Amino acid sequence: MDVLYFAWVRERIGIPKERVETRAATVAELVAELSEREDRYAAAFADISALRVALDQELADFDAPLSGVREVAFFPPMTGG
Amino acid sequence: MDVLYFAWVRERIGIPKERVETRAATVAELVAELSEREDRYAAAFADISALRVALDQELADFDAPLSGVREVAFFPPMTGG
Amino acid sequence: MRIAVQEEQFDLGAEANSFARGNVAHGAIVTFTGVVRDLATGDLDVMEIEHYPGMTERALTKIAQEAQKRWSLGDVLVIHRHGRLEPGERIMMVATAAPHRKDAFEAAEFLMDYLKSRAPFWKKEITRSGAEWVAARDEDENALGRW
Amino acid sequence: MRIAVQEEQFDLGAEANSFARGNVAHGAIVTFTGVVRDLATGDLDVMEIEHYPGMTERALTKIAQEAQKRWSLGDVLVIHRHGRLEPGERIMMVATAAPHRKDAFEAAEFLMDYLKSRAPFWKKEITRSGAEWVAARDEDENALGRW
């Protein structure tokens, strides 16, 4: 699946987008998997209460299942307007 | 004092403004005095709950005193905006 | 603060742009515009708006000053027309600028609520079947209870 | 309904006029415009707005559709910019048209509240002393509780 990062999540991880092969069943499992990879991921995901997640461009919860999902995005709370 | 009429009050009485010499102490007394003059005044003032009054261009009550007042205006509830 | 009571048409876009240009220190700008409704029945020919010269300006100024007292506002604009208006013409507008959107919205709603029931304007609708003064609506008077 | 997500500047006045012209059957038009504040400190050089192409348009469309479901509305307009903006530039605007002012005001506030916290935009302020992502404010999240 495609994993996208925005705002300071993107800056901490250092890339806007990557392709991830995973067997994670939920967003939370994917976060745990990425966090184990490298420090920059662990730093970005240190406090998930400060993060939001979208699955296929719809806001979702961290315990949402990933089956069938093609695009996951992580970002901080929105500040538009 | 000057007495002004607006909207349907003006139409019923037939004039927009007139000079009135009166010893009425309150708005209500002035209304009673005018109503006794002619039917068109009586018709205009028949239901004062449907009217508003301004004294020197400030909204007032019908029991407000008239001493020192130079301009009295009668009109229906406002419908601007 | 600018209060204009006028017979001439006004340009909503030009007024909104000029208001916004004068308020760059404020993040939020709200405008409200009232339009003579071009009713589905196509029945309305003309709307006549009568007002009370002198009192109108005083009342609008007082309402705008009260808004500035209650909210943290940059600027306030009120334009209201009188005379003969055709369907589709703009009757009036208010604009507010504030650091925060909540203030700008609330102040604009406050201006509208008071302007509706406390500024001396009266509307008369002229249709094919005759002329009729628009009746005040209870809900407009009740709207003041919010403030 | 028109939803525009764009880098280019927009002309508030031209948009307001064009929106009003398309809504003459509706008596009440409300606009909200957000401006990059030209802070008193003069500290802000540039504001950068990042967004999530694709999701942004979906989220704004969904919010506008929800507003049309909840209120009796004529039309709805949402414009939001991204990219680099200078102080005084307009960030975004919404406009609503409705037969009654209450609907037009409430729908505009609803659009703004949801747009703030549910549309994927992120602001970064670049000042002399560095760059900083604007933090979400609790009161913006809490504002959703009203609806």
Side-chain angles (χ1 to χ4, degrees), chain B residues 4-11 52-59 71-81, chain C residues 50-55 58 62 80 91-92 112 115-124 133-136 141:
Chain B
L4 283 67
Y5 310 109
F6 292 97
W8 59 254
V9 182
R10 172 179 56 69
E11 290 179 339
R52 300 288 179 269
V53 62
L55 302 182
D56 289 332
Q57 306 189 349
E58 298 278 353
L59 284 171
E71 186 171 298
V72 180
F74 294 103
F75 41 77
M78 288 90 144
T79 55
Chain C
E50 183 170 334
H51 80 120
Y52 182 172
M55 178 170 169
R58 285 167 71 112
K62 210 169 136 186
H80 204 302
I91 304 172
M92 50 73 58
M112 284 309 303
L115 187 155
K116 276 264 170 195
S117 307
R118 293 292 181 268
F121 291 101
W122 301 275
K123 287 188 190 128
K124 191 181 196 174
W133 291 98
V134 172
E141 185 65 31

Side-chain angles (χ1 to χ4, degrees), chain C residues 59-93:
Chain C
L60 293 177
T61 303
K62 210 169 136 186
I63 294 166
Q65 283 169 342
E66 182 63 28
Q68 287 184 314
K69 244 186 270 173
R70 293 191 186 206
W71 289 277
S72 166
L73 296 179
D75 201 5
V76 173
L77 167 69
V78 180
I79 303 175
H80 204 302
R81 295 178 62 200
H82 57 90
R84 289 171 71 85
L85 281 72
E86 304 205 352
E89 283 191 36
R90 285 139 204 183
I91 304 172
M92 50 73 58
M93 78 176 282

Side-chain angles (χ1 to χ4, degrees), chain B:
Chain B
M1 68 184 59
D2 289 324
V3 182
L4 283 67
Y5 310 109
F6 292 97
W8 59 254
V9 182
R10 172 179 56 69
E11 290 179 339
R12 258 180 229 183
I13 294 179
I15 48 172
K17 184 175 177 175
E18 62 185 318
R19 180 118 199 118
V20 173
E21 301 300 333
T22 178
R23 289 200 196 148
T26 66
V27 175
E29 285 184 27
L30 175 63
V31 166
E33 202 177 293
L34 291 168
S35 297
E36 277 170 24
R37 276 191 183 179
E38 282 179 58
D39 283 353
R40 57 196 171 105
Y41 289 94
F45 291 121
D47 176 14
I48 63 165
S49 78
L51 291 182
R52 300 288 179 269
V53 62
L55 302 182
D56 289 332
Q57 306 189 349
E58 298 278 353
L59 284 171
D61 293 322
F62 279 80
D63 57 6
L66 288 179
S67 77
V69 170
R70 293 183 303 176
E71 186 171 298
V72 180
F74 294 103
F75 41 77
M78 288 90 144
T79 55

